[in-house]
Amino acid sequence: MKRRFLALLLAAAPLSAQSIDQMIDAEMSSLLATYQQLHAAPELSMQEAKTSAFLASQLRALGYTVNEKIGKYDDPSATCYGVVAVMKNGNGPTVLVRSDMDALPVTEQTGLEYASKNAGVMHACGHDIHITTLLGTAKVLAQTKSKWHGTVMLVGQPAEEVVKGAEAMLEDDLYSRFGTPNYAIAVHDHAGLPAGVIGYFPGYFMAGADSVNVTIRGLGGHGASPQSTKDPVVMAAQFINALQTIVSREDSPLDPAVVTVGSIHGGTKRNVIPDEVQLFMTVRTYKPEVRQRVLASIERIANGVAMAAGVPTERMPVVEVLKGESVEATYNDPALTERVAKALTAGMGETSVIKIDPLMVSEDFGRFGLGGKIPTTMLNVGAVDPARLASGQRLPSLHSSQFAPVPEPTLRGAVKAMTLAVMELLR
Ligand SMILES: [Zn+2]
Ligand SMILES: [Zn+2]
């Protein structure tokens, strides 16, 4: 009787961090092989056919119920390669774990043996690390079903780099078909943290992004007769300078915002004043009210510059916010983030789990939270050799043709963190 009680007690005891380490050790050579295979065969956003099929087959072999091609893009002729893998294990909450799958139009210059074999395409954002992490986490969870209760919902998301994939999967009734999660978590690699170290941040973590096109319209004419024109080149110059006051004068210094004109086009010849100049911009903000104000300021300033120049009303500027290329900020639910960070610190040690600064880059993972209805958190995992980091040399950032995570410690940290996080939420 006593022995039976002890056995019950042991089965109910949480899995120790050491035994997770042993399981990850046993898997490491196969995880590294998977990572290298994925790295060598990157696929662009919305074209993740082979990557998603591979992920789906691996998850199926681990005992998950897998569905493929989940997702609907605006363009009905485009196939969406979303993967959903579910493992139900008794009563308890549902945890969504997401990995993105797409690569970038970058020509790899790492010189690695397992460098991309697809010319002009590279996993330069480390989404291959994320897919491998999802598989490693899936394996440990499938092996330890007596230690957690509830449902694990693994999501392979396409088209993150164009911020379309999460929305497409939700549009395809992801939650009504496969269940609404109680929590959603994800991990992204970080090009400025030591390999395997986990970074977390409660609150606004990644910025919302808006793509804005502005067409400054004037009245063209001869370059030697400016008096008979309204010069859009001069107006564009004034507009760019005036934009600088949005962040420096209109915005609170405590609310991060970026307004960048990344591209400007106008004119054909030295002595021709063109009819219009086009400016392509990116705007980054956290809070929805700041976002609305900054976008309104851009329009107001564009109109103001045109009015000051005496442009006729029918030639006022055209300001366009591109809906399909905009995404809200990624908000890490503070309670969920602190809870996960605490569990990770207990399992990985204080020096391996650190609070980091938020970022102005953007992500569409937050969409899985349905505007705050479902608590979400995105962790980061360091991917850089600590010695290189300590040397102070300039390191390649994410999206660089030179970006090369140190696979083993990065995967070890990421798999352990995601496993511990799921186990904490499904205790
Ligand atoms: Zn990226
Ligand atoms: Zn990324």
Side-chain angles (χ1 to χ4, degrees):
M1 193 67 187
K2 250 186 192 162
R3 189 175 288 173
R4 210 175 137 210
F5 178 68
L6 190 70
L8 275 174
L9 202 69
L10 281 174
L15 193 66
S16 75
Q18 287 79 1
S19 33
I20 296 178
D21 284 337
Q22 284 164 8
M23 275 184 251
I24 296 174
D25 280 342
E27 287 309 313
M28 193 41 76
S29 62
S30 111
L31 290 176
L32 287 171
T34 295
Y35 170 68
Q36 295 186 359
Q37 181 189 330
L38 290 166
H39 190 81
E43 293 174 299
L44 289 173
S45 306
M46 302 176 75
Q47 297 174 25
E48 307 87 345
K50 290 179 187 154
T51 308
S52 61
F54 171 78
L55 175 64
S57 72
Q58 296 280 307
L59 291 170
R60 214 167 266 132
L62 292 173
Y64 288 78
T65 306
V66 180
N67 282 275
E68 293 176 70
K69 295 189 183 157
I70 305 300
K72 261 194 242 170
Y73 293 120
D74 287 345
D75 172 6
S77 69
T79 306
C80 185
Y81 291 104
V83 176
V84 182
V86 175
M87 185 173 278
K88 284 192 181 16
N89 184 27
N91 292 328
T94 297
V95 179
L96 184 157
V97 187
R98 176 272 215 167
S99 164
D100 35 19
M101 301 188 291
D102 50 336
L104 287 157
V106 172
T107 300
E108 180 158 357
Q109 287 173 25
T110 59
L112 289 166
E113 245 171 65
Y114 52 90
S116 170
K117 292 194 169 55
N118 294 349
V121 186
M122 177 188 174
H123 267 301
C125 202
H127 297 185
D128 44 359
I129 288 279
H130 310 163
I131 303 166
T132 312
T133 298
L134 194 73
L135 285 169
T137 307
K139 175 108 194 214
V140 178
L141 291 171
Q143 284 173 339
T144 56
K145 286 174 80 173
S146 65
K147 306 293 184 188
W148 56 272
H149 304 282
T151 300
V152 175
M153 182 176 175
L154 306 176
V155 168
Q157 184 208 303
E160 185 282 324
E161 295 291 356
V162 292
V163 295
K164 287 187 196 305
E167 189 63 22
M169 292 187 80
L170 291 164
E171 273 294 305
D172 202 13
D173 299 327
L174 177 69
Y175 292 164
S176 52
R177 288 164 71 186
F178 304 104
T180 304
N182 300 86
Y183 310 99
I185 60 173
V187 65
H188 200 294
D189 55 0
H190 192 296
L193 281 178
V197 167
I198 300 298
Y200 71 95
F201 185 84
Y204 282 111
F205 179 51
M206 296 170 91
D210 286 287
S211 298
V212 183
N213 291 352
V214 177
T215 307
I216 303 279
R217 302 185 296 172
L219 300 170
H222 200 293
S225 311
Q227 74 281 8
S228 55
T229 73
K230 298 290 177 197
D231 187 346
V233 173
V234 174
M235 283 186 268
Q238 289 172 334
F239 174 61
I240 293 172
N241 278 333
L243 286 178
Q244 307 313 311
T245 57
I246 295 178
V247 175
S248 69
R249 302 292 86 183
E250 295 183 20
D251 187 48
S252 158
L254 301 177
D255 285 326
V258 177
V259 177
T260 291
V261 178
S263 177
I264 175 167
H265 299 270
T268 51
K269 201 169 181 293
R270 284 182 183 83
N271 60 357
V272 178
I273 292 172
D275 284 323
E276 60 179 48
V277 173
Q278 283 188 313
L279 300 104
F280 303 120
M281 306 169 50
T282 188
V283 173
R284 304 296 165 112
T285 51
Y286 286 119
K287 295 179 183 166
E289 61 270 27
V290 176
R291 178 188 192 186
Q292 288 319 320
R293 200 177 59 229
V294 170
L295 294 175
S297 295
I298 290 171
E299 185 155 10
R300 190 196 73 235
I301 291 172
N303 286 330
V305 166
M307 272 163 69
V311 170
T313 33
E314 71 277 9
R315 295 288 293 162
M316 292 306 270
V318 179
V319 179
E320 218 186 337
V321 180
L322 307 184
K323 193 182 160 278
E325 290 178 35
S326 295
V327 68
E328 315 77 47
T330 303
Y331 182 72
N332 285 343
D333 179 77
L336 173 66
T337 308
E338 297 286 5
R339 179 178 171 193
V340 166
K342 198 173 159 201
L344 265 51
T345 306
M348 302 174 76
E350 258 174 36
T351 51
S352 298
V353 183
I354 58 174
K355 196 166 172 177
I356 57 173
D357 289 332
L359 309 161
M360 289 315 283
V361 292
S362 305
E363 246 292 343
D364 66 354
F365 164 68
R367 292 224 162 120
F368 289 107
L370 304 181
K373 287 198 191 84
I374 299 165
T376 62
T377 194
M378 166 161 276
L379 302 170
N380 275 180
V381 61
V384 189
D385 177 0
R388 279 190 79 191
L389 210 53
S391 74
Q393 58 182 290
R394 215 170 72 91
L395 297 165
S397 65
L398 296 179
H399 292 198
S400 155
S401 61
Q402 314 263 337
F403 178 62
V406 192
E408 186 168 338
T410 305
L411 288 169
R412 196 178 289 279
V415 173
K416 190 170 179 184
M418 294 318 266
T419 305
L420 286 168
V422 172
M423 291 210 167
E424 164 64 22
L425 300 171
L426 299 181
R427 266 191 293 172

